[in-house]
């Protein structure tokens, strides 16, 4: 078990390293470098000054060398300064990552609380009117543009009901209700946008499970429909959901970026967007890497959960995906 | 059949070809049929956008300060926006762009996905493992933040001449390619699964035993048999691709104004949501309905072309 976990962690670190180079190279291709920005802000700077500054900061060196220097500094905990916030980048990350985790965690809890019962209910009565209705709801959830859902939520909820704010996070040290009030719309949007695909997966997993032999055995031995459904089928059907969940963390993060931007929730997603748009390269780079690390960590956790939940999975076979 | 008396054998329709059976199964999926019709109507309306402008005497592009926020009437069927441009014909022009980019990106994505799926499934071994790791990676990574950085890069720094890099067409091509680069995963996985099952079939083995090269087997024997899977997977990914394009355009990174797209029409509408909520409703509704129609169409095609497949896993 320990070997399996360590192996997965090592693999994720390699992915992270590859990502850091890819993103570093991409950011180098974004319009304007820090010196260009200084040039446009300060009319008295001459092009000789600019060239000298570029040499000073090493911006005239080849990309590999620059990346190597960045990596060395990063490994010593120096990720540079944020241009937008005038603070070391690392000081900005924990709080924002926390805000995103809060948003994602709560909406994921709601999503599962809705998707699992709906999926089970639909699978218990396949091809009934209720199943048909649930299927329509799922298709709607998969097809709706999340940013539009956020706009509609503002139009339908935040405008008529003053108590539910259309954005922001509330005062930092405000009470629980103050924070919860600001979370209603972002959480509702994220939940509605992801509940459809989870319900469909749950229904498929249940139907698959209901066809298995052990279900027939349970029925033959006189287990009632409720017991068959919840005791014999549901437990096994939850295992593939762990994998689906793991593979969805990345797309949930993408959803969080949209929701956070729409509702001015100062999380990781919104930070990455604003950093990219505001030419804050250090922050964008670290933000992206933090998001990737977050996703990879989620994948590892889900792999472990999968191995624990399903005794048939062997740790040595290289995991669940 | 032979036991039937001749009279009732005549009642069996003579031409029950596989194609007809597929068509009949598709027609049974009423939502898919309705979606197909809806998409056809929508596409023709979008193509006819200039006609509507002439007939109604409105413009989707020209600023008309006297018509700002004009209400719905017989001229402005859905009202006018903050610059006095007709919302309805803007939606139709936006639909042209959104549908064209969506379809083009889906075709490119399908080509990439088919290639990766074929090679991974047929070659197997480490090639398969690497390609599938890549596919899982693209699915699992937080794509939107990455795409934001990717769309923000300066094409001139890639060595493109500025006249091309900053032209209107270039942004269209760029968003199409970027969206296609991440939209191929569904096709790749389904084609790989199909290739795996085809690889051990007798006609493929016969071809291999006669000395056919792998590229020949893949092209002539596997690929044609994957056609229905490719069609289904492509249809199912169009919806996602249109969603992705609209998000990027909405965030200001995709299709740039003044070229209208459903995504970028919502960017302006967002600021006016308190006073003019309808401006935010229409473009989103258009995306929603189109994506849903493509998803239903894909679902129906899947049931018609591949009835064994579980309709709930894609």
């Amino acid at each position: 078990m320990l070997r399996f976990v360590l192996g997965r962690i090592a693999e994720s670190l390699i992915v992270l390293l590859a990502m850091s180079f890819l993103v570093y190279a991409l950011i180098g291709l974004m319009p304007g470098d820090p010196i260009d920005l200084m040039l446009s802000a300060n009319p008295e700077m001459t092009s000789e000054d600019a060239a000298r500054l570029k040499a000073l900061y090493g911006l005239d060196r080849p990309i590999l060398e620059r990346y190597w220097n960045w990596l060395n500094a990063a490994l010593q905990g120096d990720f540079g300064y944020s241009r937008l916030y005038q603070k070391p980048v690392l000081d900005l990350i924990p709080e924002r990552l926390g805000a995103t985790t809060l948003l994602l965690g709560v909406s994921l809890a709601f999503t599962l609380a809705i998707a699992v019962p709906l999926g089970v209910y639909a699978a218990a009565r396949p091809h009934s009117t209720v199943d048909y209705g649930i299927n329509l709801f799922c298709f709607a959830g998969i097809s709706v543009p999340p940013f539009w859902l956020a706009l509609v939520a503002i139009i339908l909820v935040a405008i008529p009901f003053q108590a539910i704010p259309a954005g922001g996070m509330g005062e930092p040290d405000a009470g629980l209700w103050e924070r919860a009030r600001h979370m209603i719309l972002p959480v509702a949007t994220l939940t509605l946008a992801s509940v459809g695909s989870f319900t469909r997966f749950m229904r498929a997993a249940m139907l698959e499970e209901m066809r298995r032999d052990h279900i027939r055995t349970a029925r033959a031995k006189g287990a009632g429909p409720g017991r068959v459904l919840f005791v014999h089928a549901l437990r096994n059907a939850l295992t593939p959901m762990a994998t689906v969940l793991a593979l969805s963390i990345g797309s949930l993060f993408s959803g969080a970026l949209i929701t956070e931007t729409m509702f001015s929730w100062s999380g990781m997603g919104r930070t990455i967007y604003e950093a990219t748009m505001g030419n804050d390269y250090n922050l964008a780079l670290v933000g992206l890497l933090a998001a990737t690390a977050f996703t990879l960590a989620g994948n590892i956790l889900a792999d472990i959960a999968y191995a624990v939940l399903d005794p048939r999975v062997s740790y040595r076979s290289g995991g669940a995906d | 059949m032979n036991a039937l008396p001749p009279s009732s054998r005549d009642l069996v329709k003579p031409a029950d070809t596989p194609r007809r059976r597929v068509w009949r199964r598709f027609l049974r999926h009423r939502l898919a049929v309705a979606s197909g019709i809806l998409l056809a109507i929508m596409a023709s309306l979008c193509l006819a956008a200039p006609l509507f402008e002439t007939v109604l005497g409105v413009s989707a592009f020209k600023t008309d300060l006297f018509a700002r926020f004009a209400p719905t009437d017989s001229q402005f069927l859905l009202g006018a926006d903050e610059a006095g441009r007709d919302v309805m014909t803007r939606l139709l022009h936006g639909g042209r762009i959104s549908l064209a980019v969506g379809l083009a990106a889906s075709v490119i994505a399908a080509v990439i996905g088919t290639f990766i799926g074929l090679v991974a499934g047929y070659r197997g071994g480490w090639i398969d493992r690497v390609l599938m790791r890549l596919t899982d990676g693209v699915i699992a990574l937080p794509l939107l933040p990455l795409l934001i950085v990717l769309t923000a890069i300066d094409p001139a720094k890639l060595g493109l001449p500025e006249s091309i890099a900053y032209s209107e067409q270039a942004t269209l091509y760029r968003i199409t390619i970027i969206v296609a680069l991440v939209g191929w995963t569904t096709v790749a996985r389904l084609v790989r699964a199909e290739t795996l099952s085809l690889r051990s079939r007798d006609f493929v083995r016969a071809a291999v035993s006669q000395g056919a090269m792998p590229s020949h087997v893949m092209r002539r024997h596997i690929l044609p048999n994957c056609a229905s899977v490719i069609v289904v997977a492509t249809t199912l990914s169009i919806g996602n691709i249109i969603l992705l394009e609209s998000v990027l355009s909405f965030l200001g990174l995709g299709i740039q104004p003044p070229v209208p797209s459903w995504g970028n029409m919502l960017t302006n509408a967002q600021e006016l949501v308190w006073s003019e909520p309808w401006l935010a409703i229409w473009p989103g509704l258009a995306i929603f309905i189109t994506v849903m129609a493509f998803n239903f169409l894909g679902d129906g095609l899947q049931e018609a072309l591949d009835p064994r497949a579980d309709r709930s896993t894609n």
Side-chain angles (χ1 to χ4, degrees):
Chain A
M1 183 69 189
L2 187 67
R3 247 187 87 174
F4 164 71
V5 176
L6 288 178
R8 290 288 281 117
I9 291 176
E11 204 181 281
S12 302
L13 286 178
I14 294 171
V15 174
L16 202 58
L17 196 69
M19 281 292 296
S20 73
F21 178 68
L22 182 75
V23 176
Y24 192 90
L26 282 179
I27 282 180
L29 288 171
M30 277 170 29
D33 56 32
I35 310 301
D36 290 342
L37 289 170
M38 278 187 209
L39 257 178
S40 59
N42 184 354
E44 286 178 13
M45 240 169 93
T46 61
S47 51
E48 287 86 59
D49 291 338
R52 215 179 55 235
L53 275 171
K54 279 192 188 192
L56 183 68
Y57 288 112
L59 285 168
D60 52 350
R61 311 259 173 71
I63 178 99
L64 269 174
E65 195 183 325
R66 275 189 289 154
Y67 173 69
W68 182 246
N69 292 337
W70 174 85
L71 190 66
N72 273 325
L75 287 177
Q76 285 158 24
D78 175 16
F79 288 92
Y81 260 70
S82 156
R83 203 180 77 88
L84 288 179
Y85 296 91
Q86 307 290 340
K87 269 186 189 173
V89 165
L90 222 49
D91 290 358
L92 294 162
I93 300 297
E95 192 191 331
R96 278 132 209 274
L97 206 55
T100 297
T101 314
L102 180 68
L103 194 62
L104 278 184
V106 173
S107 65
L108 199 57
F110 276 110
T111 304
L112 291 177
I114 298 169
V116 172
L118 272 188
V120 171
Y121 196 89
R125 297 163 185 73
H127 307 297
S128 64
T129 316
V130 180
D131 180 29
Y132 197 68
I134 291 176
N135 193 36
L136 265 183
F137 169 74
C138 291
F139 266 95
I142 294 166
S143 310
V144 72
F147 60 100
W148 182 65
L149 199 60
L151 280 177
V152 172
I154 291 173
I155 293 171
L156 291 183
V157 182
I159 295 181
F161 303 100
Q162 297 293 318
I164 299 169
M169 296 174 77
E171 296 300 313
D173 45 358
L176 189 67
W177 163 240
E178 179 67 8
R179 181 52 62 90
R181 223 158 52 97
H182 285 87
M183 280 181 76
I184 293 175
L185 288 187
V187 166
T189 305
L190 261 179
T191 305
L192 274 176
S194 54
V195 79
S197 60
F198 279 108
T199 307
R200 266 161 75 83
F201 276 119
M202 193 62 218
R203 176 182 179 276
M206 279 301 278
L207 281 180
E208 172 109 19
E209 209 50 49
M210 297 296 275
R211 280 198 291 265
R212 293 266 176 85
D213 285 342
H214 72 269
I215 297 294
R216 204 185 305 163
T217 312
R219 282 207 182 113
K221 289 172 87 173
R227 193 178 156 78
V228 168
L229 209 57
F230 292 110
V231 179
H232 295 276
L234 182 57
R235 248 201 84 156
N236 289 321
L238 283 176
T239 322
M241 279 295 277
T243 317
V244 172
L245 200 59
L247 284 175
S248 317
I249 293 174
S251 63
L252 286 174
F253 200 97
S254 300
L257 188 147
I258 299 166
T259 333
E260 286 171 6
T261 311
M262 297 299 295
F263 293 109
S264 318
W265 183 269
S266 294
M268 221 44 241
R270 180 165 173 243
T271 306
I272 295 173
Y273 175 62
E274 288 183 345
T276 313
M277 300 310 274
N279 294 324
D280 193 342
Y281 303 123
N282 287 334
L283 186 56
L285 179 57
V286 174
L288 267 168
L289 290 181
T292 312
F294 183 87
T295 310
L296 292 171
N299 286 351
I300 296 177
L301 273 183
D303 272 2
I304 296 171
Y306 191 77
V308 171
L309 283 171
D310 191 340
R312 287 165 303 184
V313 177
S314 124
Y315 306 130
R316 270 156 295 157
S317 67
D321 48 13
Chain B
M1 271 307 195
N2 289 335
L4 291 172
S7 59
S8 65
R9 194 193 292 163
D10 295 340
L11 288 175
V12 178
K13 285 278 185 297
D16 191 28
T17 59
R19 190 166 295 180
R20 282 200 184 189
R21 236 175 294 148
V22 165
W23 184 235
R24 249 204 342 265
R25 273 201 300 265
F26 178 72
L27 287 182
R28 228 183 295 149
H29 197 304
R30 275 169 297 169
L31 276 171
V33 176
S35 301
I37 296 171
L38 182 82
L39 287 171
I41 293 174
M42 200 178 254
S44 356
L45 286 180
C46 289
L47 284 178
L51 194 69
F52 280 96
E53 284 179 309
T54 322
V55 171
L56 294 168
V58 293
S59 168
F61 299 97
K62 240 184 28 231
T63 307
D64 177 3
L65 294 180
F66 293 109
R68 287 186 75 201
F69 305 121
T72 296
D73 58 22
S74 56
Q75 192 182 15
F76 298 103
L77 295 182
L78 295 176
D81 69 2
E82 73 279 3
R85 299 169 295 194
D86 177 56
V87 170
M88 220 270 293
T89 49
R90 259 184 99 66
L91 275 179
L92 295 180
H93 278 286
R96 281 177 156 195
I97 302 285
S98 293
L99 286 176
V101 170
L103 290 176
S106 309
V107 171
I108 300 172
V111 172
I112 302 173
T114 304
F115 181 76
I116 289 182
L118 260 183
V119 172
Y122 191 74
R123 288 307 182 105
W126 67 268
I127 297 181
D128 181 32
R129 276 202 299 281
V130 168
L131 287 178
M132 283 303 109
R133 262 287 188 234
L134 181 73
T135 312
D136 282 346
V138 172
I139 295 170
L141 286 174
L143 278 185
L144 195 56
L146 277 174
L147 286 180
I148 285 178
V149 173
L150 203 59
T151 45
I153 66 174
D154 183 355
K157 285 202 180 180
L158 282 174
L160 283 173
E162 287 198 6
S163 58
I164 297 177
Y166 301 122
S167 67
E168 219 166 65
Q169 269 81 23
T171 56
L172 278 183
Y173 291 136
R174 188 171 65 168
I175 185 77
T176 309
I177 292 167
I178 285 174
V179 173
L181 279 181
V182 296
W184 50 268
T185 51
T186 313
V187 180
R189 288 169 73 186
L190 292 182
V191 168
R192 173 179 173 269
E194 190 71 10
T195 307
L196 278 178
S197 83
L198 286 169
R199 195 172 62 166
S200 54
R201 295 271 285 278
D202 285 339
F203 67 92
V204 176
R205 288 190 183 174
V208 173
S209 69
Q210 283 170 14
M213 304 288 285
S215 62
H216 177 85
V217 178
M218 279 192 259
R219 210 172 50 238
R220 298 300 298 271
H221 298 287
I222 310 257
L223 188 58
N225 285 294
C226 286
S228 57
V229 170
I230 296 172
V231 168
V232 169
T234 309
T235 317
L236 285 171
S237 21
I238 294 177
N240 273 333
I241 283 177
I242 292 180
L243 275 183
L244 205 53
E245 178 270 307
S246 70
V247 168
L248 290 172
S249 296
F250 172 73
L251 292 174
L253 295 156
I255 291 154
Q256 303 295 329
V259 178
S261 84
W262 290 336
N264 73 25
M265 285 176 75
L266 279 164
T267 316
N268 293 335
Q270 184 190 9
E271 288 151 24
L272 301 163
V273 76
W274 299 88
S275 55
E276 304 288 331
W278 284 107
L279 288 180
I281 296 292
W282 296 120
L285 205 58
I287 303 170
F288 182 32
I289 290 173
T290 309
V291 172
M292 190 130 112
F294 273 116
N295 284 339
F296 278 133
L297 192 65
D299 198 47
L301 284 175
Q302 185 162 44
E303 259 175 59
L305 289 167
D306 193 6
R308 288 158 302 146
D310 191 340
R311 52 183 293 213
S312 301
T313 50
N314 50 60

